[in-house]
Amino acid sequence: MTRIFKFGGASIRDADAIRHLGDLIAGEAPKPQAIVVSAMGNTTNALEALLGSARGDDPADYRQRLAAIRDDHLAVAEAMFGPGSSVADELAQRLAELDAAHRAHRQAPYPFHYDQTVGMGELLSTALVAAWLNEIGVATRWCDARTLIITDDRHQAANIDWAATQERIASLTQAGDEVLLTQGFIGATAGGAMTTLGREGSDFSAAILAEALDADELTFWKDVPGLYNADPRRFANARQMAQLSYEEALEQTWHGAKVIHPRTLAPLQRRGIPLTVRSFLEPDAPPSIIGPEPGEGDRQPAFMLRDDQVLLDISIRDGSFVDEALMAEVLTRFAEAGLHANLLDVEALRLRLVVDHRPERLAPVLEALDERFSVARQDDLVLLTVRHPVDALLAHLDADRTRLVERCNATTAQRLYLAAECPDTWQIPD
Ligand code: ASP
Ligand code: MG
């Protein structure tokens, strides 16, 4: 049975966490064939800030940020391997390369520079984790994901070259029960330039590997016990879902559930590989499973919140109908600006869109539309999407709240509320 594991940043945030990961792998039977690991803790955010600084004009700030990232990693290496280990040398070496690269890439386009910098987090973390697994007797081979995941050069959101990637992964050879350990989030172009797959992309990396290795099972180890029917940080009584289908998981992700990277499911679905989400802290707790079979998650209500929404009410100045051609014209502008319509509602004379508040993307679109369209805008809104809604439940949610827009079909209800009328912590009505 071929198993693939993926560990997120929280599960390797410090030396204790990495030790725990080691114990967990040592105790698993059968052993995973491959393990995909994210960057340690908040390293990815720290690298993004470092990049901003590298491109700015405050060298002291840059040096301080680089030193903080170095200190964090070296402290973990020292706690695990003692002073002056070869892992520490390797980490220091990579960070010195990063520092040198910053000087070379300062004038390069931002997305390219982003990938060369931010992708470093996974190279650092995997050096630590691989060394630790070998130290405790779990034979582990560190693999460079840049030789496995081949992409185009769309930096920051690279597209996978599936054929090349499949070929690279299939040609991996593995001795005995050796575990392959590789980085999530990163890949490289055919020419060898590092690329990244988008924030939280390690999930996607693991799914790509699972598909290419025709795995029987992919497991995400998380700091929560599984998947919930609502974000437990926002809904006091969110409940864990034992099982749901790929289709349902995709719908929930599309509507804003943040548990897995949206591109993760397609590779798994192609081969019918189940995705198990388990608790890193309580490995024996019941998991959640996303797979080919529908489960309770396909039937019971689930809740997705999007904060900081903007409602745009768009009509054409000459009073024409909003026909297909007009809709296409408007929607193309949003698509090209990378703005997703979280809710779409059409009437004869107006098109209503709800988008995330992203001023840098929205401003140019509104400016371009202004010539032919009049746009009314409302800010500070919350979009609540309910999968498998029932009337009584919706009535409860709507009570005492202004519904600016609503949409409902057999499987999904959406409500646009004023943020000022929404609680910080929601209660799912019984
Ligand atoms: N380290 C990357 C991020 O924080 C990728 C990942 O964790 O999935 O977005
Ligand atoms: Mg992560």
Side-chain angles (χ1 to χ4, degrees):
M1 167 151 143
T2 305
R3 310 172 78 191
I4 313 291
F5 286 179
K6 181 249 159 182
F7 292 91
S11 18
I12 51 163
R13 63 155 60 93
D14 54 25
D16 282 347
I18 297 177
R19 287 195 186 97
H20 177 69
L21 179 151
D23 295 345
L24 196 151
I25 307 257
E28 281 292 313
K31 290 258 178 307
Q33 182 176 352
I35 304 175
V36 174
V37 176
S38 297
M40 257 175 58
N42 286 322
T43 306
T44 306
N45 292 337
L47 286 165
E48 284 185 348
L50 177 74
L51 173 69
S53 196
R55 293 175 77 85
D57 47 18
D58 183 350
D61 179 68
Y62 167 77
R63 298 242 71 86
Q64 195 188 336
R65 290 184 186 281
L66 184 65
I69 294 168
R70 184 190 293 119
D71 292 350
D72 275 355
H73 286 82
L74 292 181
V76 174
E78 180 155 348
M80 307 195 78
F81 305 99
S85 62
S86 61
V87 186
D89 292 345
E90 185 182 340
L91 297 173
Q93 173 68 26
R94 286 206 184 277
L95 286 159
E97 282 163 23
L98 178 67
D99 187 25
H102 275 316
R103 282 186 276 274
H105 299 320
R106 240 189 128 210
Q107 308 300 333
Y110 180 87
F112 171 84
H113 194 179
Y114 180 99
D115 285 357
Q116 310 322 304
T117 301
V118 179
M120 187 57 79
E122 272 70 9
L123 292 168
L124 298 172
S125 66
T126 49
L128 280 162
V129 176
W132 181 250
L133 291 176
N134 282 311
E135 175 94 4
I136 61 167
V138 177
T140 302
R141 178 145 63 94
W142 184 90
C143 298
D144 190 332
R146 293 170 298 181
T147 66
L148 301 177
I149 309 285
I150 308 303
T151 72
D152 65 5
D153 62 358
R154 186 158 171 249
H155 287 285
Q156 287 192 271
N159 296 301
I160 307 299
D161 178 339
W162 294 97
T165 299
Q166 170 70 50
E167 199 179 307
R168 298 287 187 99
I169 295 174
S171 69
L172 275 171
T173 50
Q174 223 164 335
D177 63 353
E178 182 186 59
V179 175
L180 299 174
L181 184 121
T182 193
Q183 305 78 41
F185 184 51
I186 64 169
T189 62
M194 176 143 64
T195 53
T196 65
L197 309 179
R199 288 302 305 264
E200 302 304 323
S202 296
D203 290 357
F204 185 35
S205 304
I208 295 167
L209 212 67
E211 184 191 23
L213 292 169
D214 198 13
D216 297 296
E217 178 188 283
L218 172 62
T219 303
F220 286 179
W221 295 93
K222 288 190 161 283
D223 53 357
V224 290
L227 304 171
Y228 284 75
N229 69 336
D231 181 348
R233 288 165 303 187
R234 303 294 304 279
F235 288 80
N237 50 349
R239 283 209 310 261
Q240 193 183 337
M241 298 178 286
Q243 194 180 331
L244 66 163
S245 65
Y246 299 120
E247 291 80 4
E248 181 61 32
L250 279 166
E251 287 287 346
Q252 294 188 15
T253 315
W254 165 268
H255 287 296
K258 291 194 191 70
V259 268
I260 40 180
H261 186 284
R263 290 158 90 189
T264 307
L265 293 168
L268 301 178
Q269 200 171 9
R270 287 197 284 265
R271 295 236 189 193
I273 302 167
L275 169 63
T276 304
V277 179
R278 290 174 67 180
S279 164
F280 177 69
L281 299 168
E282 293 171 71
D284 297 326
S288 295
I289 300 170
I290 301 175
E293 306 296 332
E296 58 171 345
D298 293 71
R299 294 181 292 270
Q300 73 177 17
F303 304 81
M304 279 73 57
L305 277 180
R306 289 190 191 274
D307 294 315
D308 212 0
Q309 300 292 290
V310 181
L311 171 63
L312 302 167
D313 217 311
I314 304 172
S315 49
I316 188 153
R317 289 195 195 277
D318 67 12
S320 314
F321 287 133
V322 178
D323 63 8
E324 285 70 14
L326 213 66
M327 262 197 281
E329 183 186 332
V330 173
L331 293 178
T332 301
R333 290 203 186 273
F334 282 91
E336 285 172 357
L339 281 166
H340 171 61
N342 298 326
L343 185 154
L344 196 58
D345 181 49
V346 195
E347 287 171 19
L349 297 176
R350 63 181 189 176
L351 176 64
R352 287 192 293 181
L353 284 178
V354 175
V355 295
D356 292 342
H357 177 71
R358 306 186 68 164
E360 73 299 345
R361 296 189 182 192
L362 190 52
V365 175
L366 295 182
E367 200 171 305
L369 288 175
D370 187 58
E371 197 184 314
R372 293 181 57 214
F373 300 89
S374 81
V375 182
R377 159 185 190 155
Q378 190 165 358
D379 282 72
D380 300 320
L381 306 174
V382 169
L383 180 63
L384 174 69
T385 301
V386 185
R387 291 281 296 162
H388 315 294
V390 287
D391 289 344
L393 187 131
L394 292 175
H396 229 286
L397 290 166
D398 289 339
D400 310 321
R401 241 167 243 135
T402 316
R403 267 170 287 160
L404 292 162
V405 183
E406 62 179 277
R407 197 188 70 95
C408 196
N409 63 24
T411 54
T412 309
Q414 291 187 293
R415 261 85 176 114
L416 189 67
Y417 297 132
L418 295 167
E421 293 179 358
C422 292
D424 288 336
T425 305
W426 292 70
Q427 198 72 34
I428 301 171
D430 314 308

